[in-house]
Amino acid sequence: MEFKWTYEEQTSSIVRTFLKRQGISKKLLAKIKFQGGKIFVNETEQNVLFSLKTHDIVTVVIPDEEPHETLLADEVPIEIVFEDEHVLVVNKPAGIASIPAQYHPRGTMANRVKAYYVKQNYANQVVHVVTRLDRDTSGLMLFAKHGFAHAKLDQGLQKKQFVKKYQALVSGEVDSLQNHGNISMPIGRDLSSLLKRQVIETGQKAETEYWLKKRNQTCALVDIQLHTGRTHQIRVHFSAIGCPLLGDELYDGSLDLGIERQALHCYSLTFPHPFNNEPLYFQLPLAEDMATIAATI
């Protein structure tokens, strides 16, 4: 894969420094050097110590990635929301994990995406997961289609350039919900469980913002934006204020309305494109099981 930039600075700089500013890490530079990549300045091959002048054209050829043989391919169709040569956005169904675990090597979105890459005969077949969702959370999930895109997207995450929004169905003390509120409570491990988290004074800072969309006597639909990324954050926070998610048995959510997974859906994802910086915005309707209940509120 080839990338090209024009050096616009008035003062000289070596190629290595310039490429670092473009997001190319030491690890990627080593891959370019030792695994068949190339660096050109004005169409002449150069090394990373070459001194650049204004208007020089720098071209980098990044070698294709070898597929991970340990990641198995599951030939199950995926619902593609958006795809270009750098990113892939899919709609993850509830009940499907994002990535494999030691004793569960297949049946995940990563396995399905691997099969899709193989079927498309893409040069890069390594699956790069950028944003994950819990097994029983549905909605938008982002993959990078090569390592350089993954690194650039990770930089965007670190700079808080991503906005993920969720919708949830909650029950319990729904009359206490404000039209707009913030839940700011630290979250840490619940030592009585391998999976469970809890609000605890010694936990990490966690902040969840929400907007009430509608409610009746038994449940409510809320829009949610996370300002931190703690494990199970939405589920823990809403349970802590007496409004656990429908179907969320782990956090005392009601199972009475016919939904058997936490009623949580990532419906909106916004982030800058990793290479042209244009804003990308994706939105999905509620998953069918949640939409059926929401229609009755």
Side-chain angles (χ1 to χ4, degrees), residues 65-68 71-73 88 98-100 108-118 122 124-130 132 141-147 150:
E65 299 173 333
E66 294 296 325
H68 290 164
L71 180 61
L72 305 174
L88 173 69
S98 292
I99 61 172
T108 74
M109 289 305 299
N111 299 112
R112 294 182 182 189
V113 170
K114 169 69 175 289
Y116 172 72
Y117 286 177
V118 171
Y122 287 154
N124 294 311
Q125 295 185 5
V126 176
V127 176
H128 297 272
V129 179
V130 181
R132 303 181 189 182
M141 187 174 169
L142 172 63
F143 294 83
K145 292 179 65 177
H146 54 86
H150 195 176

PDB file of all heavy atoms in Angstrom, residues 65-68 71-73 88 98-100 108-118 122 124-130 132 141-147 150:
ATOM      1  N   GLU A  65       0.389  -7.099   4.903  1.00  0.00           N
ATOM      2  CA  GLU A  65       0.432  -7.816   6.173  1.00  0.00           C
ATOM      3  C   GLU A  65       0.104  -9.286   5.960  1.00  0.00           C
ATOM      4  O   GLU A  65      -0.862  -9.620   5.269  1.00  0.00           O
ATOM      5  CB  GLU A  65      -0.568  -7.205   7.162  1.00  0.00           C
ATOM      6  CG  GLU A  65      -0.287  -5.761   7.490  1.00  0.00           C
ATOM      7  CD  GLU A  65      -1.389  -5.136   8.331  1.00  0.00           C
ATOM      8  OE1 GLU A  65      -2.541  -5.579   8.245  1.00  0.00           O
ATOM      9  OE2 GLU A  65      -1.082  -4.197   9.068  1.00  0.00           O
ATOM     10  N   GLU A  66       0.883 -10.145   6.575  1.00  0.00           N
ATOM     11  CA  GLU A  66       0.588 -11.571   6.539  1.00  0.00           C
ATOM     12  C   GLU A  66      -0.559 -11.865   7.495  1.00  0.00           C
ATOM     13  O   GLU A  66      -0.606 -11.335   8.604  1.00  0.00           O
ATOM     14  CB  GLU A  66       1.821 -12.381   6.943  1.00  0.00           C
ATOM     15  CG  GLU A  66       2.980 -12.284   5.958  1.00  0.00           C
ATOM     16  CD  GLU A  66       2.643 -12.872   4.603  1.00  0.00           C
ATOM     17  OE1 GLU A  66       1.900 -13.869   4.571  1.00  0.00           O
ATOM     18  OE2 GLU A  66       3.101 -12.313   3.588  1.00  0.00           O
ATOM     19  N   PRO A  67      -1.519 -12.704   7.073  1.00  0.00           N
ATOM     20  CA  PRO A  67      -2.650 -13.001   7.972  1.00  0.00           C
ATOM     21  C   PRO A  67      -2.213 -13.778   9.201  1.00  0.00           C
ATOM     22  O   PRO A  67      -1.241 -14.538   9.162  1.00  0.00           O
ATOM     23  CB  PRO A  67      -3.580 -13.863   7.096  1.00  0.00           C
ATOM     24  CG  PRO A  67      -2.681 -14.439   6.050  1.00  0.00           C
ATOM     25  CD  PRO A  67      -1.614 -13.417   5.805  1.00  0.00           C
ATOM     26  N   HIS A  68      -2.913 -13.558  10.320  1.00  0.00           N
ATOM     27  CA  HIS A  68      -2.644 -14.305  11.543  1.00  0.00           C
ATOM     28  C   HIS A  68      -3.268 -15.690  11.422  1.00  0.00           C
ATOM     29  O   HIS A  68      -4.491 -15.831  11.351  1.00  0.00           O
ATOM     30  CB  HIS A  68      -3.252 -13.584  12.760  1.00  0.00           C
ATOM     31  CG  HIS A  68      -2.546 -12.316  13.107  1.00  0.00           C
ATOM     32  ND1 HIS A  68      -3.101 -11.358  13.930  1.00  0.00           N
ATOM     33  CD2 HIS A  68      -1.340 -11.829  12.741  1.00  0.00           C
ATOM     34  CE1 HIS A  68      -2.264 -10.340  14.054  1.00  0.00           C
ATOM     35  NE2 HIS A  68      -1.198 -10.606  13.343  1.00  0.00           N
ATOM     36  N   LEU A  71      -6.079 -16.750  13.948  1.00  0.00           N
ATOM     37  CA  LEU A  71      -7.454 -16.258  13.866  1.00  0.00           C
ATOM     38  C   LEU A  71      -8.205 -17.053  12.810  1.00  0.00           C
ATOM     39  O   LEU A  71      -7.894 -16.982  11.623  1.00  0.00           O
ATOM     40  CB  LEU A  71      -7.489 -14.765  13.532  1.00  0.00           C
ATOM     41  CG  LEU A  71      -8.888 -14.148  13.425  1.00  0.00           C
ATOM     42  CD1 LEU A  71      -9.652 -14.263  14.744  1.00  0.00           C
ATOM     43  CD2 LEU A  71      -8.812 -12.687  12.991  1.00  0.00           C
ATOM     44  N   LEU A  72      -9.193 -17.816  13.249  1.00  0.00           N
ATOM     45  CA  LEU A  72      -9.963 -18.659  12.354  1.00  0.00           C
ATOM     46  C   LEU A  72     -11.013 -17.826  11.621  1.00  0.00           C
ATOM     47  O   LEU A  72     -11.469 -16.792  12.127  1.00  0.00           O
ATOM     48  CB  LEU A  72     -10.642 -19.773  13.141  1.00  0.00           C
ATOM     49  CG  LEU A  72      -9.698 -20.642  13.992  1.00  0.00           C
ATOM     50  CD1 LEU A  72     -10.502 -21.613  14.850  1.00  0.00           C
ATOM     51  CD2 LEU A  72      -8.703 -21.384  13.111  1.00  0.00           C
ATOM     52  N   ALA A  73     -11.382 -18.281  10.443  1.00  0.00           N
ATOM     53  CA  ALA A  73     -12.380 -17.585   9.639  1.00  0.00           C
ATOM     54  C   ALA A  73     -13.735 -18.257   9.777  1.00  0.00           C
ATOM     55  O   ALA A  73     -13.847 -19.470   9.638  1.00  0.00           O
ATOM     56  CB  ALA A  73     -11.949 -17.562   8.176  1.00  0.00           C
ATOM     57  N   LEU A  88     -13.488  -0.182   7.953  1.00  0.00           N
ATOM     58  CA  LEU A  88     -14.680  -1.009   7.779  1.00  0.00           C
ATOM     59  C   LEU A  88     -15.572  -0.796   8.991  1.00  0.00           C
ATOM     60  O   LEU A  88     -15.133  -0.984  10.127  1.00  0.00           O
ATOM     61  CB  LEU A  88     -14.287  -2.482   7.654  1.00  0.00           C
ATOM     62  CG  LEU A  88     -15.418  -3.510   7.624  1.00  0.00           C
ATOM     63  CD1 LEU A  88     -16.211  -3.400   6.322  1.00  0.00           C
ATOM     64  CD2 LEU A  88     -14.867  -4.921   7.799  1.00  0.00           C
ATOM     65  N   SER A  98     -16.924  -9.589  20.307  1.00  0.00           N
ATOM     66  CA  SER A  98     -16.122  -8.811  19.363  1.00  0.00           C
ATOM     67  C   SER A  98     -14.883  -9.571  18.918  1.00  0.00           C
ATOM     68  O   SER A  98     -14.546  -9.583  17.730  1.00  0.00           O
ATOM     69  CB  SER A  98     -15.713  -7.475  19.991  1.00  0.00           C
ATOM     70  OG  SER A  98     -16.824  -6.634  20.191  1.00  0.00           O
ATOM     71  N   ILE A  99     -14.185 -10.198  19.868  1.00  0.00           N
ATOM     72  CA  ILE A  99     -12.928 -10.890  19.562  1.00  0.00           C
ATOM     73  C   ILE A  99     -12.908 -12.253  20.243  1.00  0.00           C
ATOM     74  O   ILE A  99     -13.591 -12.468  21.234  1.00  0.00           O
ATOM     75  CB  ILE A  99     -11.715 -10.058  20.015  1.00  0.00           C
ATOM     76  CG1 ILE A  99     -11.751  -9.816  21.527  1.00  0.00           C
ATOM     77  CG2 ILE A  99     -11.632  -8.739  19.248  1.00  0.00           C
ATOM     78  CD1 ILE A  99     -10.495  -9.174  22.078  1.00  0.00           C
ATOM     79  N   PRO A 100     -12.094 -13.176  19.723  1.00  0.00           N
ATOM     80  CA  PRO A 100     -12.011 -14.503  20.341  1.00  0.00           C
ATOM     81  C   PRO A 100     -11.344 -14.450  21.711  1.00  0.00           C
ATOM     82  O   PRO A 100     -10.604 -13.521  22.036  1.00  0.00           O
ATOM     83  CB  PRO A 100     -11.139 -15.304  19.355  1.00  0.00           C
ATOM     84  CG  PRO A 100     -11.127 -14.513  18.098  1.00  0.00           C
ATOM     85  CD  PRO A 100     -11.293 -13.089  18.495  1.00  0.00           C
ATOM     86  N   THR A 108     -16.949 -15.048  16.652  1.00  0.00           N
ATOM     87  CA  THR A 108     -16.903 -13.625  16.983  1.00  0.00           C
ATOM     88  C   THR A 108     -16.938 -12.774  15.709  1.00  0.00           C
ATOM     89  O   THR A 108     -16.794 -13.276  14.593  1.00  0.00           O
ATOM     90  CB  THR A 108     -15.631 -13.279  17.772  1.00  0.00           C
ATOM     91  OG1 THR A 108     -14.504 -13.289  16.875  1.00  0.00           O
ATOM     92  CG2 THR A 108     -15.379 -14.282  18.891  1.00  0.00           C
ATOM     93  N   MET A 109     -17.103 -11.474  15.885  1.00  0.00           N
ATOM     94  CA  MET A 109     -17.077 -10.573  14.732  1.00  0.00           C
ATOM     95  C   MET A 109     -15.716 -10.590  14.050  1.00  0.00           C
ATOM     96  O   MET A 109     -15.629 -10.503  12.822  1.00  0.00           O
ATOM     97  CB  MET A 109     -17.428  -9.146  15.164  1.00  0.00           C
ATOM     98  CG  MET A 109     -18.891  -8.950  15.540  1.00  0.00           C
ATOM     99  SD  MET A 109     -20.062  -9.456  14.252  1.00  0.00           S
ATOM    100  CE  MET A 109     -19.599  -8.364  12.903  1.00  0.00           C
ATOM    101  N   ALA A 110     -14.646 -10.717  14.820  1.00  0.00           N
ATOM    102  CA  ALA A 110     -13.316 -10.782  14.213  1.00  0.00           C
ATOM    103  C   ALA A 110     -13.195 -11.990  13.293  1.00  0.00           C
ATOM    104  O   ALA A 110     -12.609 -11.898  12.194  1.00  0.00           O
ATOM    105  CB  ALA A 110     -12.247 -10.827  15.301  1.00  0.00           C
ATOM    106  N   ASN A 111     -13.740 -13.127  13.696  1.00  0.00           N
ATOM    107  CA  ASN A 111     -13.720 -14.317  12.838  1.00  0.00           C
ATOM    108  C   ASN A 111     -14.507 -14.084  11.549  1.00  0.00           C
ATOM    109  O   ASN A 111     -14.106 -14.512  10.459  1.00  0.00           O
ATOM    110  CB  ASN A 111     -14.316 -15.525  13.566  1.00  0.00           C
ATOM    111  CG  ASN A 111     -13.561 -15.902  14.824  1.00  0.00           C
ATOM    112  OD1 ASN A 111     -14.085 -15.757  15.923  1.00  0.00           O
ATOM    113  ND2 ASN A 111     -12.338 -16.383  14.699  1.00  0.00           N
ATOM    114  N   ARG A 112     -15.651 -13.422  11.675  1.00  0.00           N
ATOM    115  CA  ARG A 112     -16.485 -13.162  10.501  1.00  0.00           C
ATOM    116  C   ARG A 112     -15.802 -12.184   9.546  1.00  0.00           C
ATOM    117  O   ARG A 112     -15.855 -12.355   8.322  1.00  0.00           O
ATOM    118  CB  ARG A 112     -17.845 -12.618  10.935  1.00  0.00           C
ATOM    119  CG  ARG A 112     -18.683 -13.621  11.717  1.00  0.00           C
ATOM    120  CD  ARG A 112     -20.045 -13.049  12.090  1.00  0.00           C
ATOM    121  NE  ARG A 112     -20.815 -14.016  12.875  1.00  0.00           N
ATOM    122  CZ  ARG A 112     -22.094 -13.874  13.198  1.00  0.00           C
ATOM    123  NH1 ARG A 112     -22.746 -12.786  12.818  1.00  0.00           N
ATOM    124  NH2 ARG A 112     -22.727 -14.799  13.907  1.00  0.00           N
ATOM    125  N   VAL A 113     -15.160 -11.159  10.104  1.00  0.00           N
ATOM    126  CA  VAL A 113     -14.455 -10.192   9.263  1.00  0.00           C
ATOM    127  C   VAL A 113     -13.271 -10.854   8.582  1.00  0.00           C
ATOM    128  O   VAL A 113     -12.984 -10.577   7.408  1.00  0.00           O
ATOM    129  CB  VAL A 113     -14.038  -8.962  10.095  1.00  0.00           C
ATOM    130  CG1 VAL A 113     -13.085  -8.058   9.315  1.00  0.00           C
ATOM    131  CG2 VAL A 113     -15.267  -8.161  10.517  1.00  0.00           C
ATOM    132  N   LYS A 114     -12.578 -11.739   9.279  1.00  0.00           N
ATOM    133  CA  LYS A 114     -11.463 -12.467   8.659  1.00  0.00           C
ATOM    134  C   LYS A 114     -11.956 -13.230   7.426  1.00  0.00           C
ATOM    135  O   LYS A 114     -11.327 -13.182   6.358  1.00  0.00           O
ATOM    136  CB  LYS A 114     -10.858 -13.437   9.681  1.00  0.00           C
ATOM    137  CG  LYS A 114      -9.855 -14.461   9.110  1.00  0.00           C
ATOM    138  CD  LYS A 114      -8.562 -13.801   8.649  1.00  0.00           C
ATOM    139  CE  LYS A 114      -7.546 -14.850   8.196  1.00  0.00           C
ATOM    140  NZ  LYS A 114      -7.001 -15.641   9.320  1.00  0.00           N
ATOM    141  N   ALA A 115     -13.080 -13.929   7.544  1.00  0.00           N
ATOM    142  CA  ALA A 115     -13.619 -14.670   6.407  1.00  0.00           C
ATOM    143  C   ALA A 115     -13.976 -13.735   5.256  1.00  0.00           C
ATOM    144  O   ALA A 115     -13.767 -14.066   4.077  1.00  0.00           O
ATOM    145  CB  ALA A 115     -14.835 -15.478   6.841  1.00  0.00           C
ATOM    146  N   TYR A 116     -14.508 -12.563   5.591  1.00  0.00           N
ATOM    147  CA  TYR A 116     -14.855 -11.579   4.557  1.00  0.00           C
ATOM    148  C   TYR A 116     -13.600 -11.113   3.825  1.00  0.00           C
ATOM    149  O   TYR A 116     -13.588 -11.030   2.585  1.00  0.00           O
ATOM    150  CB  TYR A 116     -15.579 -10.401   5.197  1.00  0.00           C
ATOM    151  CG  TYR A 116     -15.809  -9.246   4.253  1.00  0.00           C
ATOM    152  CD1 TYR A 116     -16.739  -9.334   3.225  1.00  0.00           C
ATOM    153  CD2 TYR A 116     -15.089  -8.053   4.397  1.00  0.00           C
ATOM    154  CE1 TYR A 116     -16.945  -8.270   2.350  1.00  0.00           C
ATOM    155  CE2 TYR A 116     -15.289  -6.992   3.537  1.00  0.00           C
ATOM    156  CZ  TYR A 116     -16.216  -7.109   2.514  1.00  0.00           C
ATOM    157  OH  TYR A 116     -16.410  -6.059   1.647  1.00  0.00           O
ATOM    158  N   TYR A 117     -12.529 -10.820   4.568  1.00  0.00           N
ATOM    159  CA  TYR A 117     -11.275 -10.393   3.936  1.00  0.00           C
ATOM    160  C   TYR A 117     -10.739 -11.478   2.998  1.00  0.00           C
ATOM    161  O   TYR A 117     -10.253 -11.185   1.896  1.00  0.00           O
ATOM    162  CB  TYR A 117     -10.223 -10.086   5.005  1.00  0.00           C
ATOM    163  CG  TYR A 117     -10.426  -8.796   5.777  1.00  0.00           C
ATOM    164  CD1 TYR A 117      -9.561  -8.468   6.819  1.00  0.00           C
ATOM    165  CD2 TYR A 117     -11.452  -7.916   5.492  1.00  0.00           C
ATOM    166  CE1 TYR A 117      -9.717  -7.290   7.548  1.00  0.00           C
ATOM    167  CE2 TYR A 117     -11.628  -6.751   6.209  1.00  0.00           C
ATOM    168  CZ  TYR A 117     -10.754  -6.441   7.233  1.00  0.00           C
ATOM    169  OH  TYR A 117     -10.915  -5.276   7.944  1.00  0.00           O
ATOM    170  N   VAL A 118     -10.805 -12.731   3.459  1.00  0.00           N
ATOM    171  CA  VAL A 118     -10.309 -13.845   2.638  1.00  0.00           C
ATOM    172  C   VAL A 118     -11.135 -13.959   1.360  1.00  0.00           C
ATOM    173  O   VAL A 118     -10.592 -14.116   0.254  1.00  0.00           O
ATOM    174  CB  VAL A 118     -10.345 -15.163   3.442  1.00  0.00           C
ATOM    175  CG1 VAL A 118     -10.036 -16.357   2.536  1.00  0.00           C
ATOM    176  CG2 VAL A 118      -9.360 -15.118   4.608  1.00  0.00           C
ATOM    177  N   TYR A 122      -8.332  -9.699  -0.158  1.00  0.00           N
ATOM    178  CA  TYR A 122      -7.599  -8.484   0.159  1.00  0.00           C
ATOM    179  C   TYR A 122      -6.122  -8.788   0.405  1.00  0.00           C
ATOM    180  O   TYR A 122      -5.771  -9.844   0.940  1.00  0.00           O
ATOM    181  CB  TYR A 122      -8.189  -7.815   1.405  1.00  0.00           C
ATOM    182  CG  TYR A 122      -9.527  -7.155   1.177  1.00  0.00           C
ATOM    183  CD1 TYR A 122     -10.424  -6.994   2.228  1.00  0.00           C
ATOM    184  CD2 TYR A 122      -9.898  -6.668  -0.074  1.00  0.00           C
ATOM    185  CE1 TYR A 122     -11.657  -6.384   2.040  1.00  0.00           C
ATOM    186  CE2 TYR A 122     -11.125  -6.048  -0.270  1.00  0.00           C
ATOM    187  CZ  TYR A 122     -11.995  -5.920   0.789  1.00  0.00           C
ATOM    188  OH  TYR A 122     -13.215  -5.306   0.609  1.00  0.00           O
ATOM    189  N   ASN A 124      -4.198  -7.210   2.508  1.00  0.00           N
ATOM    190  CA  ASN A 124      -4.029  -7.197   3.959  1.00  0.00           C
ATOM    191  C   ASN A 124      -5.186  -7.964   4.596  1.00  0.00           C
ATOM    192  O   ASN A 124      -6.336  -7.549   4.486  1.00  0.00           O
ATOM    193  CB  ASN A 124      -4.012  -5.758   4.489  1.00  0.00           C
ATOM    194  CG  ASN A 124      -2.802  -4.987   4.016  1.00  0.00           C
ATOM    195  OD1 ASN A 124      -1.678  -5.463   4.117  1.00  0.00           O
ATOM    196  ND2 ASN A 124      -3.015  -3.800   3.487  1.00  0.00           N
ATOM    197  N   GLN A 125      -4.885  -9.070   5.252  1.00  0.00           N
ATOM    198  CA  GLN A 125      -5.930  -9.899   5.846  1.00  0.00           C
ATOM    199  C   GLN A 125      -5.850  -9.965   7.365  1.00  0.00           C
ATOM    200  O   GLN A 125      -6.524 -10.785   7.991  1.00  0.00           O
ATOM    201  CB  GLN A 125      -5.897 -11.303   5.240  1.00  0.00           C
ATOM    202  CG  GLN A 125      -6.243 -11.305   3.758  1.00  0.00           C
ATOM    203  CD  GLN A 125      -6.341 -12.692   3.168  1.00  0.00           C
ATOM    204  OE1 GLN A 125      -6.235 -13.691   3.871  1.00  0.00           O
ATOM    205  NE2 GLN A 125      -6.538 -12.760   1.867  1.00  0.00           N
ATOM    206  N   VAL A 126      -5.055  -9.098   7.971  1.00  0.00           N
ATOM    207  CA  VAL A 126      -5.022  -8.999   9.421  1.00  0.00           C
ATOM    208  C   VAL A 126      -6.231  -8.186   9.879  1.00  0.00           C
ATOM    209  O   VAL A 126      -6.545  -7.131   9.312  1.00  0.00           O
ATOM    210  CB  VAL A 126      -3.720  -8.332   9.906  1.00  0.00           C
ATOM    211  CG1 VAL A 126      -3.740  -8.133  11.412  1.00  0.00           C
ATOM    212  CG2 VAL A 126      -2.513  -9.184   9.513  1.00  0.00           C
ATOM    213  N   VAL A 127      -6.925  -8.685  10.888  1.00  0.00           N
ATOM    214  CA  VAL A 127      -8.128  -8.023  11.391  1.00  0.00           C
ATOM    215  C   VAL A 127      -7.735  -7.083  12.530  1.00  0.00           C
ATOM    216  O   VAL A 127      -7.229  -7.528  13.563  1.00  0.00           O
ATOM    217  CB  VAL A 127      -9.152  -9.062  11.876  1.00  0.00           C
ATOM    218  CG1 VAL A 127     -10.361  -8.375  12.499  1.00  0.00           C
ATOM    219  CG2 VAL A 127      -9.589  -9.952  10.710  1.00  0.00           C
ATOM    220  N   HIS A 128      -7.973  -5.797  12.343  1.00  0.00           N
ATOM    221  CA  HIS A 128      -7.631  -4.778  13.338  1.00  0.00           C
ATOM    222  C   HIS A 128      -8.916  -4.226  13.955  1.00  0.00           C
ATOM    223  O   HIS A 128      -9.651  -3.477  13.303  1.00  0.00           O
ATOM    224  CB  HIS A 128      -6.852  -3.629  12.699  1.00  0.00           C
ATOM    225  CG  HIS A 128      -5.525  -4.022  12.125  1.00  0.00           C
ATOM    226  ND1 HIS A 128      -4.373  -4.037  12.886  1.00  0.00           N
ATOM    227  CD2 HIS A 128      -5.164  -4.416  10.874  1.00  0.00           C
ATOM    228  CE1 HIS A 128      -3.353  -4.416  12.125  1.00  0.00           C
ATOM    229  NE2 HIS A 128      -3.808  -4.646  10.902  1.00  0.00           N
ATOM    230  N   VAL A 129      -9.201  -4.582  15.192  1.00  0.00           N
ATOM    231  CA  VAL A 129     -10.398  -4.102  15.886  1.00  0.00           C
ATOM    232  C   VAL A 129     -10.084  -2.756  16.530  1.00  0.00           C
ATOM    233  O   VAL A 129      -9.159  -2.647  17.339  1.00  0.00           O
ATOM    234  CB  VAL A 129     -10.848  -5.109  16.957  1.00  0.00           C
ATOM    235  CG1 VAL A 129     -12.085  -4.592  17.690  1.00  0.00           C
ATOM    236  CG2 VAL A 129     -11.138  -6.475  16.329  1.00  0.00           C
ATOM    237  N   VAL A 130     -10.857  -1.733  16.193  1.00  0.00           N
ATOM    238  CA  VAL A 130     -10.640  -0.393  16.748  1.00  0.00           C
ATOM    239  C   VAL A 130     -11.602  -0.127  17.902  1.00  0.00           C
ATOM    240  O   VAL A 130     -11.207   0.353  18.958  1.00  0.00           O
ATOM    241  CB  VAL A 130     -10.785   0.686  15.657  1.00  0.00           C
ATOM    242  CG1 VAL A 130     -10.538   2.081  16.248  1.00  0.00           C
ATOM    243  CG2 VAL A 130      -9.813   0.419  14.512  1.00  0.00           C
ATOM    244  N   ARG A 132     -14.667  -1.956  20.281  1.00  0.00           N
ATOM    245  CA  ARG A 132     -15.325  -3.214  20.640  1.00  0.00           C
ATOM    246  C   ARG A 132     -16.678  -2.931  21.278  1.00  0.00           C
ATOM    247  O   ARG A 132     -16.931  -1.838  21.773  1.00  0.00           O
ATOM    248  CB  ARG A 132     -14.473  -4.003  21.645  1.00  0.00           C
ATOM    249  CG  ARG A 132     -13.074  -4.326  21.177  1.00  0.00           C
ATOM    250  CD  ARG A 132     -12.341  -5.135  22.239  1.00  0.00           C
ATOM    251  NE  ARG A 132     -10.931  -5.298  21.933  1.00  0.00           N
ATOM    252  CZ  ARG A 132     -10.079  -5.997  22.676  1.00  0.00           C
ATOM    253  NH1 ARG A 132     -10.513  -6.577  23.780  1.00  0.00           N
ATOM    254  NH2 ARG A 132      -8.817  -6.094  22.320  1.00  0.00           N
ATOM    255  N   MET A 141     -19.594  -1.081  14.983  1.00  0.00           N
ATOM    256  CA  MET A 141     -18.270  -1.539  15.391  1.00  0.00           C
ATOM    257  C   MET A 141     -17.291  -1.201  14.275  1.00  0.00           C
ATOM    258  O   MET A 141     -17.592  -1.400  13.089  1.00  0.00           O
ATOM    259  CB  MET A 141     -18.313  -3.041  15.658  1.00  0.00           C
ATOM    260  CG  MET A 141     -17.055  -3.622  16.241  1.00  0.00           C
ATOM    261  SD  MET A 141     -17.302  -5.370  16.680  1.00  0.00           S
ATOM    262  CE  MET A 141     -15.586  -5.816  16.993  1.00  0.00           C
ATOM    263  N   LEU A 142     -16.126  -0.689  14.643  1.00  0.00           N
ATOM    264  CA  LEU A 142     -15.149  -0.182  13.674  1.00  0.00           C
ATOM    265  C   LEU A 142     -13.911  -1.067  13.614  1.00  0.00           C
ATOM    266  O   LEU A 142     -13.340  -1.427  14.637  1.00  0.00           O
ATOM    267  CB  LEU A 142     -14.746   1.254  14.053  1.00  0.00           C
ATOM    268  CG  LEU A 142     -13.601   1.903  13.269  1.00  0.00           C
ATOM    269  CD1 LEU A 142     -13.959   2.047  11.795  1.00  0.00           C
ATOM    270  CD2 LEU A 142     -13.251   3.266  13.870  1.00  0.00           C
ATOM    271  N   PHE A 143     -13.511  -1.388  12.370  1.00  0.00           N
ATOM    272  CA  PHE A 143     -12.267  -2.105  12.107  1.00  0.00           C
ATOM    273  C   PHE A 143     -11.371  -1.245  11.217  1.00  0.00           C
ATOM    274  O   PHE A 143     -11.863  -0.518  10.348  1.00  0.00           O
ATOM    275  CB  PHE A 143     -12.540  -3.426  11.362  1.00  0.00           C
ATOM    276  CG  PHE A 143     -13.306  -4.446  12.155  1.00  0.00           C
ATOM    277  CD1 PHE A 143     -14.685  -4.388  12.236  1.00  0.00           C
ATOM    278  CD2 PHE A 143     -12.650  -5.477  12.816  1.00  0.00           C
ATOM    279  CE1 PHE A 143     -15.405  -5.317  12.967  1.00  0.00           C
ATOM    280  CE2 PHE A 143     -13.363  -6.410  13.551  1.00  0.00           C
ATOM    281  CZ  PHE A 143     -14.735  -6.335  13.624  1.00  0.00           C
ATOM    282  N   ALA A 144     -10.055  -1.327  11.437  1.00  0.00           N
ATOM    283  CA  ALA A 144      -9.086  -0.756  10.503  1.00  0.00           C
ATOM    284  C   ALA A 144      -8.651  -1.858   9.548  1.00  0.00           C
ATOM    285  O   ALA A 144      -8.496  -3.011   9.949  1.00  0.00           O
ATOM    286  CB  ALA A 144      -7.872  -0.205  11.259  1.00  0.00           C
ATOM    287  N   LYS A 145      -8.425  -1.513   8.292  1.00  0.00           N
ATOM    288  CA  LYS A 145      -8.118  -2.535   7.294  1.00  0.00           C
ATOM    289  C   LYS A 145      -6.624  -2.756   7.078  1.00  0.00           C
ATOM    290  O   LYS A 145      -6.246  -3.609   6.274  1.00  0.00           O
ATOM    291  CB  LYS A 145      -8.826  -2.207   5.982  1.00  0.00           C
ATOM    292  CG  LYS A 145     -10.350  -2.342   6.096  1.00  0.00           C
ATOM    293  CD  LYS A 145     -11.067  -2.003   4.819  1.00  0.00           C
ATOM    294  CE  LYS A 145     -10.750  -2.971   3.699  1.00  0.00           C
ATOM    295  NZ  LYS A 145     -11.525  -2.640   2.482  1.00  0.00           N
ATOM    296  N   HIS A 146      -5.811  -2.009   7.799  1.00  0.00           N
ATOM    297  CA  HIS A 146      -4.376  -2.263   7.788  1.00  0.00           C
ATOM    298  C   HIS A 146      -3.767  -1.586   9.011  1.00  0.00           C
ATOM    299  O   HIS A 146      -4.414  -0.747   9.665  1.00  0.00           O
ATOM    300  CB  HIS A 146      -3.709  -1.789   6.492  1.00  0.00           C
ATOM    301  CG  HIS A 146      -3.975  -0.348   6.152  1.00  0.00           C
ATOM    302  ND1 HIS A 146      -3.217   0.688   6.646  1.00  0.00           N
ATOM    303  CD2 HIS A 146      -4.928   0.229   5.378  1.00  0.00           C
ATOM    304  CE1 HIS A 146      -3.674   1.831   6.181  1.00  0.00           C
ATOM    305  NE2 HIS A 146      -4.717   1.586   5.419  1.00  0.00           N
ATOM    306  N   GLY A 147      -2.527  -1.944   9.333  1.00  0.00           N
ATOM    307  CA  GLY A 147      -1.900  -1.492  10.569  1.00  0.00           C
ATOM    308  C   GLY A 147      -1.703   0.003  10.660  1.00  0.00           C
ATOM    309  O   GLY A 147      -1.822   0.583  11.748  1.00  0.00           O
ATOM    310  N   HIS A 150      -4.913   1.543  11.594  1.00  0.00           N
ATOM    311  CA  HIS A 150      -5.190   1.256  13.003  1.00  0.00           C
ATOM    312  C   HIS A 150      -4.447   2.243  13.901  1.00  0.00           C
ATOM    313  O   HIS A 150      -5.018   2.801  14.853  1.00  0.00           O
ATOM    314  CB  HIS A 150      -4.771  -0.183  13.326  1.00  0.00           C
ATOM    315  CG  HIS A 150      -5.331  -0.682  14.608  1.00  0.00           C
ATOM    316  ND1 HIS A 150      -5.148  -1.969  15.059  1.00  0.00           N
ATOM    317  CD2 HIS A 150      -6.071  -0.076  15.562  1.00  0.00           C
ATOM    318  CE1 HIS A 150      -5.762  -2.132  16.219  1.00  0.00           C
ATOM    319  NE2 HIS A 150      -6.325  -0.993  16.548  1.00  0.00           N
TER     320      HIS A 150
END
